[in-house]
Amino acid sequence: MGRYTWDFSVITANWDPLMAGLSVTLQLTAICAVIGLVGGFVVCQMVMSRIAPLRWVAVAFIELFRCTPALVQIIWIFYCVPFFFGVFYDPFYMAILALGMNITAFNAEAYRAAIQSIPSSHYDACTALGMSPLKKTIYVILPQAVLMAIPVLLTNTIGLLQQTSLVAIVAIADLMYEGKTLATQTYRPIEIYTTVAFIYFALSVPLSQVVGLCERRLRSRLA
C-alpha cells in the first residue's frame, strides 16, 4: 500500500458548502419524517379498513415502496412523473415526494404491528363505553400505537437520514452532493468522503441511542 498524506485543510477551506449541504439534508429528513409519521398512520388505517378497495390500494402502495430500491424510486419520480403526467416541481420537492412516500410505507407497517399488539380488551372497553370509531382511533389506538412503534419509527428515521444521500444522483445540493462536488474540484476525495461519512455517523449515533433507550423503557413498561 502506497503512502498517502492526509490533508484536512481542504475541509476547513470548504466548510461552508458542506454545511449548506447538511442543511438541505436535515430539511429533507425533518420534512419527510413528519410526512412518514402522519401518512404512515393513515395508510395503516387503510390497510386495516373493512373497505376492500381502500385496503387493496394501501397494500399495493406499501408493497411497491417496500419492495423497490429507494434509488429507483427517486429516479423514477424525478424523470418519469414529469414525462407521464406533465407535472414537474422543484427537485427538492420531488425528493420530498419520493422519500416521503418511501418512509410512509415502512412506517405504515410499524404502526400496523403496534396496533395488532394492543390487547383486545381495550377494544372491548371502547365498545362498552359507546365510543365512536373516530374517538376510539384518536384516544385509544393512536396513543398506544405511537408508543409501541416509537423504536421502529426512530429506526426508520435513521434510515431516512442516510437515504437522503441518494438525492445527490438527481443533482440536489445535499451533503453528499456537495461532498462529491468538492471531491471533484479539489482532487481530495478521501478526506472529503471521510468527513461526509463522519457527519452522517455523528447524526445517526445519537438517534440510535435514543432508540435503545426507548426500547428499554418500553420493555420495562410492559413488564
Side-chain angles (χ1 to χ4, degrees):
M1 179 178 178
R3 293 182 179 180
Y4 183 81
T5 303
W6 292 79
D7 181 13
F8 281 98
S9 63
V10 68
I11 302 299
T12 55
N14 295 280
W15 189 247
D16 289 344
L18 288 175
M19 289 301 98
L22 176 59
S23 175
V24 173
T25 292
L26 293 177
Q27 289 177 53
L28 277 173
T29 303
I31 295 171
C32 293
V34 172
I35 291 173
L37 288 173
V38 177
F41 188 77
V42 173
V43 174
C44 169
Q45 291 298 298
M46 292 173 63
V47 169
M48 304 183 74
S49 172
R50 295 180 180 178
I51 304 174
L54 281 180
R55 190 167 62 249
W56 297 337
V57 170
V59 170
F61 174 86
I62 290 174
E63 294 305 320
L64 175 64
F65 282 92
R66 288 179 66 213
C67 299
T68 55
L71 180 59
V72 173
Q73 295 165 18
I74 291 169
I75 293 174
W76 198 93
I77 288 175
F78 189 83
Y79 291 108
C80 298
V81 167
F83 180 79
F84 288 116
F85 303 103
V87 176
F88 183 80
Y89 298 104
D90 183 276
F92 182 80
Y93 298 113
M94 300 293 276
I96 289 174
L97 178 63
L99 293 174
M101 289 194 293
N102 180 275
I103 193 171
T104 292
F106 283 90
N107 282 355
E109 286 297 279
Y111 281 123
R112 186 170 67 89
I115 290 173
Q116 289 177 340
S117 68
I118 297 175
S120 59
S121 59
H122 293 201
Y123 294 95
D124 296 337
C126 292
T127 302
L129 292 171
M131 297 180 70
S132 66
L134 180 60
K135 286 186 176 181
K136 179 176 69 174
T137 300
I138 295 175
Y139 296 112
V140 178
I141 297 176
L142 179 58
Q144 293 188 80
V146 171
L147 178 64
M148 299 288 289
I150 280 177
V152 180
L153 295 176
L154 288 175
T155 300
N156 290 347
T157 302
I158 295 173
L160 171 65
L161 170 65
Q162 296 166 358
Q163 282 186 339
T164 58
S165 63
L166 299 175
V167 302
I169 196 72
V170 290
I172 295 175
D174 72 322
L175 177 60
M176 187 64 189
Y177 181 84
E178 293 292 352
K180 182 177 67 172
T181 302
L182 290 175
T184 302
Q185 293 173 347
T186 62
Y187 302 101
R188 307 297 297 189
I190 296 179
E191 291 88 343
I192 291 173
Y193 285 130
T194 298
T195 301
V196 168
F198 178 79
I199 293 173
Y200 280 112
F201 178 78
L203 292 171
S204 300
V205 167
L207 282 174
S208 67
Q209 296 301 312
V210 172
V211 171
L213 176 63
C214 290
E215 288 177 337
R216 290 192 294 273
R217 290 196 173 185
L218 186 59
R219 282 197 297 266
S220 64
R221 183 186 180 92
L222 296 177

